[in-house]
């Protein structure tokens, strides 16, 4: 370092306020005498304190606790033996080897901002692709299905799963009250109460878009598509006891695992797979392809690898990049489209609505959320707007369209527009082919023995503190799903009743009794 560099460095390190004024005393308030009182013209103090007072933005209404990382997605350019362009014209998937930058945020769902990462809960898996056509967000979870199939029920579901409005304590009776009264939840409950409800960390879990989307090709033809992320690190889940042991020592273990792996250059990777189905209602299936409580059976709808994601850079600032990151199901690019999945449509309203409240009207101007391509809109104003989205050479006086005075012009359509024909009465009705418990039975039978034991131990522990009507309704669902599942749940609850010490008035969603037979470390699992 030269003397001049040294001087510049010293100058660069000078503490200033947000107006650029150097701060010469950061230890003492300006006071009348050294014992006070303080004076109100203390601009530096008032600025420092009032910014601190506003350091938090509202936490996400769900998925409050998360960790993020940057990386890239590399397309394989094919689907099986065919060029991927046969199914989608989305540029992000064309041209084998092409890389697209991504930002990923993993999360837990129900618990608050600094809650333990060992809790039983689905995990969020949200990916922002900064494509050449603008951003594409794939907002998924680790599990491939969801609790409910109609967006209207989401606020009720979340209220039941979040803490009691009076005690502020999470209460399994409220959780099971909602689930027992909403039989479509049973498949998801079966996953969440098994070891699949506590992934060992974020690197060793799958991801899934859960909802059904569409792909559109250049002829304007669509197929239904589901997305799944497969971790190349393997899959590992925890028993309740293992999770509790980790939690005693470290309640940030998943964030730390991700951060440390990337810092040491051990970059986590996931392969993106898709399942596709011809567009349509598929009356030959015993489930509706738009029902997000159902898996698409792998033997009928094979998984095709279409690309790989590598996470190779930690955020430089947690708040700027992770807390202020905003993902939404409406954020699609040309060649990707919505299906009529009622959950997907409800979600698409909710994300940007909450983000305008949580981050602010101009949340898309923040570097983490802005596309990496040029943006040119006629949007103007709003809190925290700091720049106009002008195109080079645009007449800056023109912030409307149409105009003959060199304003922004509409884009040309990239391929043939996809124009599905829709007809029907407006109704408030559930879908046909609900089949609420069949796949839960298949999932139960596909579990390994230790997974079934964990599932039953966890369910019996938490259900044993619930009202008998709730227990009975859950037993009926388990019996419908699988004879053994129903019988063992019934017997377990019967035995728990005999041992009245097992019941307590308010349970915790994780329970507090560890299963006795659990082993001490994480368990490798086969892709499900
Ligand atoms: C109608 C159903 C749903 C509604 C209304 C809904 C709504 C929301 C809302 C309001 C947020 C907070 C967003 C923010 O503050 O930035 C959120 C976050 C999230 N949701 Fe949903 N959600 C629904 C279903 C689902 C499903 C089925 C999945 C899984 C595929 C999912 C995955 C996520 C993820 C991963 C996040 C966190 C995104 C992030 O990391 O910032 N949600 N959801």
């Amino acid at each position: 370092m030269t003397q001049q560099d040294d001087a510049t460095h010293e100058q660069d390190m000078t503490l200033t306020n947000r107006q650029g004024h150097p701060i010469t005393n950061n230890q003492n308030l300006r006071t009348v005498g050294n014992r006070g009182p303080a004076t109100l013209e203390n601009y530096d103090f008032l600025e420092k304190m009032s910014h601190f007072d506003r350091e938090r933005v509202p936490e996400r209404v769900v998925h409050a606790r998360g960790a993020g990382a940057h990386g890239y997605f590399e397309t394989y350019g094919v689907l099986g033996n065919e060029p991927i362009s046969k199914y989608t014209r989305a540029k992000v998937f064309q041209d084998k080897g092409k890389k697209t930058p991504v930002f990923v945020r993993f999360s837990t769902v129900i618990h608050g901002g600094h809650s333990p990462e060992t809790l039983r809960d689905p995990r969020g898996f949200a990916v922002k692709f900064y494509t050449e056509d603008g951003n594409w967000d794939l907002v998924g979870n680790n599990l491939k299905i969801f609790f409910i199939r109609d967006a209207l029920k989401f606020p009720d579901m979340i209220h039941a799963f979040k803490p009691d409005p009076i005690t502020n304590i999470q209460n399994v009776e409220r959780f099971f009250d909602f689930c027992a009264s909403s039989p479509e939840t049973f498949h998801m409950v079966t996953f969440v109460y098994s070891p699949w409800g506590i992934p060992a960390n974020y690197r060793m879990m799958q991801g899934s878009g859960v909802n059904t989307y569409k792909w559109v090709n250049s002829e304007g033809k669509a197929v239904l598509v589901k997305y799944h992320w497969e971790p190349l690190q393997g899959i590992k889940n925890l028993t309740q006891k293992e999770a509790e042991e980790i939690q005693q020592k470290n309640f940030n273990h998943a964030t730390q695992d991700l951060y440390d792996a990337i810092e040491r250059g051990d970059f986590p990777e996931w392969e993106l797979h898709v399942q596709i189905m011809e567009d349509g209602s598929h009356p030959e299936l015993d489930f509706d392809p738009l029902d997000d409580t159902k898996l698409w059976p792998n033997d009928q709808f094979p998984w095709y690898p279409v690309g790989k994601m590598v996470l190779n850079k930690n955020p430089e600032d947690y708040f700027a990049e992770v807390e202020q990151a905003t993902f939404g199901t409406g954020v699609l690019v040309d060649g990707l489209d919505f299906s009529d999945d009622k959950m997907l449509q409800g979600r698409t309203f909710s994300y940007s609505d909450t983000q305008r409240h949580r981050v602010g009207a101009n949340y898309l101007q923040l570097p983490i959320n802005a596309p990496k391509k040029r943006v040119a809109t006629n949007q103007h104003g709003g809190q925290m707007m700091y720049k106009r989205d002008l195109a080079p050479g645009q007449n800056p006086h023109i912030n409307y369209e149409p105009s003959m005075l060199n304003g922004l012009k509409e884009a040309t359509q990239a391929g043939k527009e996809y124009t599905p024909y829709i007809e029907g009465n407006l109704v408030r009705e559930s879908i046909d082919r609900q089949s609420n418990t069949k796949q839960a039975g298949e999932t139960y039978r596909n579990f390994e023995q230790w997974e079934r034991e964990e599932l039953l131990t966890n369910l019996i522990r938490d259900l044993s503190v619930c009202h008998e009507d709730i227990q009975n309704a859950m037993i009926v669902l388990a019996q419908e799903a699988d004879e053994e599942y129903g019988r063992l749940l019934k017997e377990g609850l019967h035995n728990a009743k005999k041992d009245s010490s097992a019941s307590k008035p308010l349970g915790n969603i994780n329970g507090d009794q560890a299963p006795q037979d659990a082993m001490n470390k994480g368990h490798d699992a086969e892709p499900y």
Side-chain angles (χ1 to χ4, degrees):
M1 218 184 243
T2 62
Q3 243 180 353
Q4 200 186 347
D5 285 344
D6 230 305
T8 321
H9 187 244
E10 203 173 290
Q11 207 176 5
D12 285 346
M13 295 296 289
T14 303
L15 180 67
T16 71
N17 65 13
R18 214 63 194 72
Q19 307 286 7
H21 310 154
I23 302 290
T24 52
N25 186 333
N26 195 36
Q27 320 304 321
N28 298 295
L29 277 173
R30 197 171 190 210
T31 51
V32 184
N34 63 12
R35 296 184 57 243
T39 55
L40 194 58
E41 93 302 338
N42 252 281
Y43 180 82
D44 291 341
F45 165 71
L46 297 178
E47 285 296 298
K48 180 178 179 179
M49 197 55 91
S50 50
H51 190 275
F52 170 76
D53 291 342
R54 290 162 178 77
E55 268 182 14
R56 302 282 178 276
V57 294
E59 71 174 28
R60 288 168 177 80
V61 63
V62 283
H63 295 262
R65 166 68 133 140
H70 300 267
Y72 63 87
F73 173 76
E74 184 174 341
T75 178
Y76 297 161
V78 290
L79 191 143
N81 296 324
E82 297 174 310
I84 206 158
S85 55
K86 181 172 173 196
Y87 299 98
T88 176
R89 62 187 190 226
K91 291 187 189 140
V92 62
F93 288 120
Q94 317 300 319
D95 308 328
K96 180 177 166 21
K98 185 171 64 183
K99 290 184 180 170
T100 300
V102 297
F103 178 74
V104 179
R105 183 175 179 271
F106 302 110
S107 50
T108 55
V109 179
I110 288 300
H111 314 279
H114 293 284
S115 52
E117 293 181 306
T118 35
L119 299 179
R120 184 172 304 287
D121 209 2
R123 301 294 191 270
F125 194 128
V127 185
K128 188 178 289 297
F129 298 76
Y130 301 94
T131 88
E132 64 197 273
D133 271 347
N135 289 351
W136 169 35
D137 292 350
L138 180 55
V139 198
N141 278 345
N142 64 324
L143 299 173
K144 294 172 208 58
I145 56 164
F146 201 63
F147 292 96
I148 50 171
R149 58 168 81 93
D150 191 315
L152 188 63
K153 293 181 70 142
F154 189 76
D156 293 292
M157 184 195 107
I158 298 301
H159 285 175
F161 294 7
K162 286 265 189 189
D164 179 306
I166 294 179
T167 62
N168 197 32
I169 295 172
Q170 238 156 355
N171 180 346
V172 284
E173 192 166 38
R174 288 160 39 80
F175 175 89
F176 280 111
D177 186 21
F178 180 87
C179 292
S181 315
S182 309
E184 71 271 31
T185 59
F186 194 68
H187 193 188
M188 184 72 167
V189 169
T190 299
F191 269 113
V192 170
Y193 265 75
S194 82
W196 291 82
I198 317 182
N201 52 54
Y202 292 136
R203 286 183 309 123
M204 302 178 85
M205 67 179 201
Q206 293 170 303
S208 174
V210 178
N211 291 114
T212 299
Y213 291 83
K214 285 185 182 179
W215 271 2
V216 179
N217 68 12
S218 54
E219 280 134 47
K221 296 227 167 62
V223 287
L224 301 177
V225 62
K226 273 201 193 270
Y227 301 98
H228 306 294
W229 294 104
E230 199 60 33
L232 299 183
Q233 298 69 241
I235 304 168
K236 194 168 266 195
N237 299 319
L238 298 176
T239 63
Q240 180 73 34
K241 182 155 186 280
E242 290 162 352
E244 286 168 9
E245 280 167 6
I246 293 170
Q247 190 175 319
Q248 282 169 22
K249 298 186 198 122
N250 184 352
F251 68 90
N252 306 288
H253 79 287
T255 297
Q256 187 167 3
D257 173 80
L258 178 69
Y259 189 89
D260 290 353
I262 293 174
E263 283 304 289
R264 66 174 180 265
D266 178 9
F267 301 141
E269 300 181 355
W270 284 260
E271 195 161 53
L272 181 63
H273 295 246
V274 294
Q275 291 179 288
I276 53 172
M277 225 191 256
E278 229 175 81
D279 195 6
S281 62
H282 291 267
E284 76 285 2
L285 297 174
D286 65 2
F287 65 92
D288 190 315
L290 304 185
D291 179 355
D292 67 359
T293 68
K294 300 295 184 297
L295 298 166
W296 288 8
N298 302 359
D299 49 351
Q300 292 174 63
F301 305 101
W303 285 32
Y304 293 104
V306 293
K308 192 177 84 167
M309 177 172 76
V310 179
L311 297 183
N312 56 11
K313 186 174 171 296
N314 277 316
E316 282 166 23
D317 186 87
Y318 181 82
F319 186 89
E321 292 158 64
V322 187
E323 192 61 12
Q324 295 195 123
T326 58
F327 301 85
T329 48
V331 188
L332 300 178
V333 288
D334 185 62
L336 312 179
D337 214 327
F338 304 97
S339 75
D340 299 336
D341 177 338
K342 297 185 210 179
M343 279 284 287
L344 180 61
Q345 302 197 336
R347 292 178 72 192
T348 297
F349 164 71
S350 181
Y351 289 89
S352 41
D353 180 48
T354 198
Q355 285 150 5
R356 287 184 191 103
H357 156 71
R358 179 170 72 81
V359 186
N362 283 305
Y363 70 99
L364 290 173
Q365 290 199 347
L366 295 175
I368 193 66
N369 298 321
K372 295 199 189 300
K373 63 165 291 210
R374 181 176 62 77
V375 172
T377 77
N378 284 323
Q379 289 182 356
H380 198 226
Q383 274 188 344
M384 310 297 272
M385 172 197 156
Y386 78 97
K387 67 178 170 61
R388 286 272 300 281
D389 301 326
L390 292 172
Q394 178 190 343
N395 180 345
H397 297 281
I398 309 302
N399 59 355
Y400 52 84
E401 190 283 331
S403 158
M404 289 175 250
L405 301 174
N406 199 22
L408 296 172
K409 304 268 180 283
E410 288 173 328
T412 44
Q413 177 71 36
K416 194 156 182 265
E417 198 168 355
Y418 171 57
T419 55
Y421 180 73
I422 298 165
E423 184 186 54
N425 293 338
L426 276 178
V427 294
R428 289 179 192 276
E429 284 174 13
S430 311
I431 56 166
D432 304 326
R433 290 181 285 169
Q434 299 198 6
S435 186
N436 288 324
T437 50
K438 179 168 176 260
Q439 285 201 359
E442 287 162 10
T443 293
Y444 176 82
R445 290 186 289 280
N446 282 337
F447 281 158
E448 292 176 16
Q449 182 61 22
W450 72 275
E451 293 176 315
R452 286 196 283 270
E453 283 168 14
E454 266 291 300
L455 164 68
L456 282 156
T457 309
N458 294 329
L459 274 179
I460 291 163
R461 181 196 58 236
D462 282 2
L463 272 170
S464 65
V465 300
C466 296
H467 191 284
E468 211 176 325
D469 289 350
I470 297 174
Q471 294 185 6
N472 290 337
M474 292 301 291
I475 291 169
V476 169
L477 292 172
Q479 284 168 335
E480 261 178 48
D482 180 89
E483 185 280 324
E484 178 191 277
Y485 191 0
R487 179 165 46 78
L488 294 179
L489 183 61
K490 190 174 178 180
E491 280 170 18
L493 286 170
H494 181 73
N495 293 338
K497 208 175 291 172
K498 281 197 285 183
D499 173 15
S500 56
S501 64
S503 58
K504 49 189 163 42
L506 282 175
N508 181 280
I509 207 151
N510 289 293
D512 55 11
Q513 285 174 277
Q516 299 307 305
D517 58 347
M519 288 159 59
N520 272 331
K521 55 184 174 52
H523 294 268
D524 294 324
E526 287 304 310
Y528 194 80

